[in-house]
Amino acid sequence: MILTLTPNPSVDHTLEVDRLVRGEVLRVRATRSQAGGKGVNVSRALAGAGIDTRAVLPIGGGGGAELVALLGDLPRVTVPIGGETRANVTVTEADGTTTKLNAAGPALAPEEIEALLGALDEELGRSPDWVVASGSLPAGIPDDLYVRVAGLAAAHGVPLALDTSGPSLATAAKAGSVSLLKPNHEELAALVDRDLPTLGDVTEAAREVLAWGNESVLVTLGGHGALLVTERDARWARGPRVRTRSTVGAGDSALAGFLAGEGPPPERLRQAVAWGTAAVALPGTTVPQPDDVATDGVSAATEPDPGWRIAPS
């Protein structure tokens, strides 16, 4: 079973337009509302593949009620809060360009933070195979929340996969003890405070993060695939080109694919890229189902060319 924690879940509204033109009245071709938040997306993807999962998340107000309804029968533990669960808006254009408007989310009181961690601690006592901590932190939560989560996971002997950004990523990564960090290219560059134009630069940055006491780093590179770096080696995989409908949640699907994969790390990496590739071909924050995923078109390299450019020159 894979447990997920989403401190700042959302209701995600997606609008599809031919082209986004600022200041104009536009015709919306399609709309959809889906349960969102990075950990929620991971659980949704896992559940769709028939993998046992449980999501831990705070819920509040009318937005929280809508989110619960959208979650359907997804196994979950909800912690009531006084604030209103946020709503995000994504605008996707016909050429795949995605514009995302993310609300900050409700402020959590100290007792609500402790209740959320208490619920997580109880679920960790059920010995899940992994715990995934994902997403931004709402107002009121200190940057070290994920450090506390790492401590709880270690106390129960459960490996932690962490997918966040900004100060919360820096604080947790520099504290060490994370089994799997999953930044994207831009988040890793911000974490080490330098540009990373080539695979060699990304690999070097990931090894710097490992030196802080973490076990492995899975870097998602958008259309350039993903790179897995451990103390032993670095491996890169890339999926086939697909028509992009929405990039929102693709990294979450990639992480779910990695955790759901069986076999050695190279095969898990191929699975991660296959799930991420499938996700970008789907609308909104739709997560791929098993029929959407194909590993046949995923190429992999044990020793990636360090000079291969993943950023414009």
Side-chain angles (χ1 to χ4, degrees):
M1 194 271 281
I2 296 175
L3 182 66
T4 67
L5 171 69
T6 310
N8 202 11
S10 61
V11 174
D12 285 354
H13 303 290
T14 301
L15 312 176
E16 293 188 17
V17 300
D18 290 327
R19 187 168 66 94
L20 180 61
V21 183
R22 187 173 173 221
E24 295 293 329
V25 176
L26 307 176
R27 184 177 297 277
V28 176
R29 292 187 286 104
T31 66
R32 59 182 49 81
S33 296
Q34 294 165 304
K38 295 181 72 62
V40 168
N41 292 339
V42 171
S43 279
R44 289 171 55 223
L46 292 168
I51 296 170
D52 190 17
T53 183
R54 186 180 297 269
V56 178
L57 63 157
I59 291 291
E66 183 179 5
L67 177 56
V68 168
L70 290 169
L71 288 171
D73 58 1
L74 181 75
R76 59 186 179 268
V77 176
T78 58
V79 176
I81 60 172
E84 178 89 11
T85 297
R86 65 180 176 150
N88 296 331
V89 177
T90 299
V91 181
T92 59
E93 301 176 56
D95 65 356
T97 301
T98 300
T99 303
K100 202 165 193 306
L101 307 175
N102 283 350
L108 268 62
E111 59 271 19
E112 293 171 338
I113 298 171
E114 295 307 317
L116 186 65
L117 290 173
L120 178 69
D121 190 31
E122 183 174 347
E123 293 302 315
L124 285 167
R126 304 177 189 272
S127 300
D129 295 294
W130 282 87
V131 57
V132 178
S134 292
S136 62
L137 300 182
I141 293 189
D143 292 336
D144 69 349
L145 177 83
Y146 288 135
V147 177
R148 295 184 64 184
V149 170
L152 292 174
H156 288 278
V158 177
L160 168 65
L162 178 63
D163 184 3
T164 186
S165 60
S168 59
L169 172 60
T171 302
K174 291 177 181 178
S177 301
V178 178
S179 299
L180 176 68
L181 282 162
K182 198 225 70 66
N184 62 29
H185 184 202
E186 293 77 13
E187 290 162 351
L188 181 62
L191 181 59
V192 297
D193 194 26
R194 62 179 182 271
D195 292 336
L196 306 174
T198 68
L199 276 180
D201 295 321
V202 175
T203 302
E204 182 181 346
R207 287 186 170 135
E208 181 178 329
V209 173
L210 293 183
W212 298 340
N214 304 293
E215 293 182 17
S216 59
V217 181
L218 174 65
V219 189
T220 49
L221 303 169
H224 299 297
L227 184 74
L228 176 66
V229 182
T230 67
E231 290 185 353
R232 296 183 59 184
D233 56 24
R235 299 175 183 271
W236 171 77
R238 184 179 183 182
R241 292 186 178 277
V242 297
R243 176 179 175 268
T244 300
R245 293 194 64 183
S246 174
T247 58
V248 181
D252 307 327
S253 291
L255 177 56
F258 184 87
L259 298 178
E262 297 180 352
E267 185 55 36
R268 287 176 175 265
L269 177 61
R270 293 182 72 245
Q271 189 84 350
V273 171
W275 283 43
T277 300
V280 300
L282 298 170
T285 52
T286 304
V287 295
Q289 301 298 300
D291 290 345
D292 300 316
V293 178
T295 58
D296 293 345
V298 178
S299 59
T302 302
E303 294 294 336
D305 178 0
W308 196 73
R309 296 191 68 82
I310 55 176
S313 56

